[in-house]
Amino acid sequence: MAQLMGKYQRKTERRNFSQASLDSALDAIEKGRKIRAVARDFGIHEATLRRHLGIKRKIKDRKSETLGRAPIFSKEQEREIAEQVKSLARLFFGITPTELRQVAYKYAEINHIKHRFNKETAMAGPDWFRSFLKRNSDISLRKPEGTSVSRVSAFNKLEVDRFFDNLEQVLTKNKFGPDRIYNVDETGVSTTPKEVGKSLAPTGVKQFGTICSWESGKNITVICAVSATGNFVPPLFIFPRLRMSPHLQKNGPSGSIYTCTKNGWSNEQVFVILQPLDLTFFGPLKNAYSRQCNLFLKRKISNPQEGNTLTHDVAEIFKVAYEQVANVEKGVSGFAAAGIYPLNSEKFSEEDFAPADSFMSEQPLKEIQLHQSPSSKHLPQELSPQPSTSTQSVPLLPSTSKQPVPSATELYFIPEQIPISTLLPVPKAQAKKIGKNVRKKQHSEVLTSTPFKQNLEEKENKRNRKAMAVAGKINATVKTKKKGKVVRKVYKESDSDSEISVDEKEICDDDELDDISNASEYDQCIICGDTGTKNEMWYRCTICGYWAHSECSGVDSPKGCVCDLCQN
């Protein structure tokens, strides 16, 4: 066998030329030389040159250099689609895969491009979408983060320039170092976080879930602060209740502050002004918090005595996530990314302000006039030919004129190709009607400047006077109130298994300011020890039978209510 290898003798003289000789011969033909002369000079058969010349020209005309079926759109057309998709994403108007497939079908139909798309569904297929992503590697399918219109429109060049002017003024005047520059922002954490990391599961399982807390989630506001040197200040927790419970502060971050508001939001009594800190910190913090919630709940379920709620464990869970994420590197990089320190007023380009400009602009989209043609039935209604209203249109002349009267179709023109921006336009914000109760738009201000500081002081004095007046009215009411025993309707579990519609106000309504001197232990809130105010809702614990204010109880309904003491 080994003796036979390598002894094969070529029996034909066909293709006795190299690839380099073939390429040189084809180049000579494309430069204008005769095929017959080139075949004689290079020693290549004339038919061979004609065949390879035809192949080379077909490759140049192809929409793709790869083998197989060519794409529907040319490189230029697909590049136009890709650029419009990226442009819309930068302006916070990203489109879904389904929308892109529908637009691709319309784009092919309007421009009379031969395609193999499904005409029944009027959209491109999923195979085309996957191939589109492969050919345009700078586009990927991502989950967008919800951003309010007010936040997008506020990030415009005028406001940003004003912020950096104020910042430079303060830094120049006071000579602040990086250890004196702090960034403050708030975020919300829930007792039932929605973001859950991916977990391993058997292949082919249709339903795959993870354990979660049974209660409806409550949103707790957390305010964090960090300096330009990466020094983090202990956070401030704001719980959605009227009175603070010591159980909510259990095992929280050292040095943290805990307070309450009616809805759990920060207000002027809690903090005056907020600045963003979510460039490098809040994203990783929320991911770490969600993972810790999942782990913490699994540990609690293994011990039935601890219950299956996280209402009183938020501070402890947040501490673990906070200590994992709060480091010097994230603090320093956040200031650099915002251009605050080192001070960089040129940090943001015109492209960063484009979303705000799209909301502030009120100019309508350019209209496209089309020639009347049999293909107009494929055009959407907004692109159908309409009579020309241009002042440059050719006027109708009297029949006695020597100039010919133009026909109706000559008053229109048809572009070589309808652009994709016509089918995927950038939405334009409509002019808003300014009402009487519209909140005044805020701008970057130096809080210690004279006019702004005086306004804050006036607001604070007005708020204090109002609080003192309200307190005086309540004291007068308590003194003149006739003392009587508190009467409440007690909520009891029904013996029937059927669902009964319960009016919470009838069960738990606290009618008036209760008699403080005659109040017994059952008339006082088990959490805060107070009797409450007028028309305040009360819930009764189904285990110990004691009462608690609805805001102090931490639950959403009196049905199955369990107080903090019985839970712990």
Side-chain angles (χ1 to χ4, degrees):
M1 184 74 177
Q3 295 178 355
L4 297 176
M5 294 182 62
K7 292 185 178 181
Y8 174 77
Q9 297 293 328
R10 182 179 174 90
K11 299 181 178 61
T12 179
E13 296 297 329
R14 296 181 61 185
R15 195 174 175 87
N16 57 350
F17 52 86
S18 64
Q19 184 65 38
S21 299
L22 177 62
D23 293 339
S24 300
L26 295 177
D27 291 339
I29 295 173
E30 289 182 342
K31 291 179 180 179
R33 291 191 62 187
K34 300 293 184 179
I35 296 180
R36 183 172 299 179
V38 172
R40 183 177 58 253
D41 293 344
F42 284 88
I44 304 175
H45 198 278
E46 182 180 344
T48 303
L49 288 177
R50 293 184 184 276
R51 184 173 69 252
H52 283 277
L53 185 63
I55 294 174
K56 187 175 182 180
R57 289 173 177 173
K58 285 183 179 180
I59 291 176
K60 287 185 177 180
D61 295 337
R62 286 177 60 89
K63 299 175 183 177
S64 174
E65 295 181 358
T66 60
L67 298 178
R69 183 177 290 177
I72 302 297
F73 303 111
S74 65
K75 289 183 179 180
E76 292 73 16
Q77 292 168 340
E78 194 157 285
R79 188 180 301 113
E80 181 188 0
I81 297 175
E83 290 300 326
Q84 186 69 5
V85 169
K86 291 186 289 185
S87 177
L88 289 173
R90 296 189 192 100
L91 299 177
F92 295 83
F93 291 109
I95 63 173
T96 64
T98 302
E99 291 173 338
L100 179 59
R101 291 164 58 191
Q102 292 173 344
V103 168
Y105 176 86
K106 295 179 181 178
Y107 185 61
E109 285 284 310
I110 290 177
N111 290 291
H112 307 287
I113 300 173
K114 187 177 180 180
H115 62 83
R116 301 176 298 275
F117 298 149
N118 192 329
K119 294 189 176 182
E120 294 182 359
T121 59
M123 61 192 301
D127 293 338
W128 175 87
F129 175 73
R130 286 190 291 267
S131 300
F132 175 81
L133 294 182
K134 288 182 180 179
R135 292 188 294 269
N136 299 273
S137 57
D138 54 346
I139 298 177
S140 60
L141 193 60
R142 299 179 58 183
K143 183 178 180 181
E145 179 182 354
T147 308
S148 65
V149 175
S150 58
R151 184 168 185 175
V152 174
S153 58
F155 190 77
N156 57 74
K157 183 172 177 58
L158 182 64
E159 295 294 341
V160 172
D161 289 345
R162 180 172 180 171
F163 168 79
F164 279 109
D165 290 342
N166 290 335
L167 179 61
E168 186 175 5
Q169 174 188 348
V170 172
L171 294 179
T172 304
K173 179 181 179 180
N174 299 280
K175 308 296 182 183
F176 287 139
D179 59 323
R180 302 292 301 276
I181 303 174
Y182 278 82
N183 196 327
V184 183
D185 198 2
E186 66 176 355
T187 188
V189 295
S190 176
T191 54
T192 55
K194 297 180 180 180
E195 295 294 334
V196 181
K198 294 183 179 180
S199 304
L200 299 176
T203 303
V205 176
K206 294 183 178 180
Q207 292 185 347
F208 173 62
T210 184
I211 197 69
C212 63
S213 179
W214 62 268
E215 83 256 359
S216 59
K218 287 183 175 295
N219 196 58
I220 296 97
T221 300
V222 182
I223 297 179
C224 299
V226 62
S227 70
T229 58
N231 180 35
F232 281 84
V233 177
L236 165 66
F237 291 84
I238 306 175
F239 291 90
R241 53 198 299 162
L242 294 181
R243 297 169 182 85
M244 175 54 61
S245 170
H247 302 290
L248 300 174
Q249 308 176 20
K250 181 181 64 175
N251 298 329
S254 301
S256 298
I257 302 175
Y258 304 88
T259 186
C260 299
T261 60
K262 187 173 182 180
N263 51 19
W265 300 344
S266 60
N267 50 36
E268 291 186 357
Q269 286 77 14
V270 177
F271 211 78
V272 179
I273 189 171
L274 298 174
Q275 293 180 358
L277 187 69
D278 54 1
L279 290 176
T280 59
F281 181 67
F282 281 147
L285 176 65
K286 288 191 174 182
N287 292 334
Y289 176 79
S290 298
R291 292 193 299 268
Q292 293 301 323
C293 281
N294 192 23
L295 295 175
F296 199 89
L297 187 58
K298 290 179 180 178
R299 289 197 299 267
K300 292 194 71 172
I301 290 179
S302 61
N303 188 0
Q305 296 180 354
E306 296 185 6
N308 58 355
T309 63
L310 303 178
T311 305
H312 302 100
D313 304 311
V314 172
E316 182 176 356
I317 298 172
F318 186 87
K319 176 186 177 182
V320 179
Y322 185 80
E323 292 176 349
Q324 290 179 356
V325 179
N327 54 58
V328 175
E329 180 182 0
K330 282 188 170 54
V332 173
S333 61
F335 278 86
I340 297 177
Y341 189 88
L343 182 62
N344 183 10
S345 59
E346 304 296 329
K347 179 68 177 179
F348 305 102
S349 63
E350 295 296 334
E351 184 177 345
D352 297 318
F353 302 129
D357 294 339
S358 67
F359 281 97
M360 297 172 65
S361 175
E362 297 180 358
Q363 296 180 358
L365 294 175
K366 296 181 179 179
E367 298 181 357
I368 298 181
Q369 296 178 327
L370 299 174
H371 191 301
Q372 283 279 11
S373 65
S375 61
S376 62
K377 63 180 181 180
H378 298 296
L379 300 179
Q381 185 176 359
E382 61 271 18
L383 297 180
S384 299
Q386 301 293 334
S388 175
T389 58
S390 174
T391 56
Q392 299 179 358
S393 300
V394 180
L396 294 177
L397 302 176
S399 57
T400 57
S401 175
K402 297 181 180 180
Q403 298 180 359
V405 179
S407 62
T409 57
E410 292 175 345
L411 296 178
Y412 303 97
F413 70 93
I414 180 169
E416 294 182 358
Q417 178 176 299
I418 299 176
I420 191 65
S421 58
T422 306
L423 301 175
L424 279 177
V426 177
K428 296 294 181 181
Q430 299 295 331
K432 294 183 178 180
K433 295 182 179 180
I434 302 177
K436 296 181 179 180
N437 298 325
V438 176
R439 183 179 179 181
K440 185 179 180 180
K441 186 177 181 180
Q442 295 182 340
H443 307 279
S444 172
E445 299 286 355
V446 180
L447 298 183
T448 55
S449 60
T450 302
F452 199 84
K453 183 178 179 181
Q454 290 178 349
N455 292 336
L456 291 178
E457 291 176 347
E458 291 177 1
K459 286 184 179 180
E460 184 66 20
N461 294 334
K462 184 178 180 180
R463 189 183 301 111
N464 292 336
R465 290 194 299 267
K466 184 177 180 180
M468 293 176 62
V470 172
K473 290 182 180 179
I474 294 178
N475 292 334
T477 305
V478 172
K479 291 179 180 179
T480 58
K481 173 73 178 174
K482 182 179 180 180
K483 298 180 180 180
K485 191 172 182 180
V486 177
V487 179
R488 298 188 185 90
K489 293 183 180 181
V490 180
Y491 176 78
K492 295 182 179 180
E493 291 285 351
S494 175
D495 296 334
S496 173
D497 295 335
S498 61
E499 294 289 338
I500 300 177
S501 178
V502 181
D503 188 353
E504 294 183 2
K505 291 189 176 181
E506 293 183 0
I507 296 175
C508 316
D509 192 19
D510 185 19
D511 190 20
E512 295 288 345
L513 289 170
D514 294 335
D515 184 10
I516 299 178
S517 60
N518 293 339
S520 65
E521 59 181 359
Y522 283 97
D523 298 330
Q524 299 176 352
C525 176
I526 190 64
I527 304 299
C528 66
D530 195 3
T531 55
T533 58
K534 183 179 179 180
N535 294 330
E536 191 168 12
M537 194 75 70
W538 291 68
Y539 292 164
R540 188 173 187 180
C541 178
T542 56
I543 297 179
C544 64
Y546 285 92
W547 290 85
H549 297 105
S550 61
E551 298 292 342
C552 296
S553 64
V555 298
D556 298 329
S557 172
K559 189 172 183 179
C561 174
V562 179
C563 67
D564 292 348
L565 301 179
C566 293
Q567 286 187 3
N568 292 274

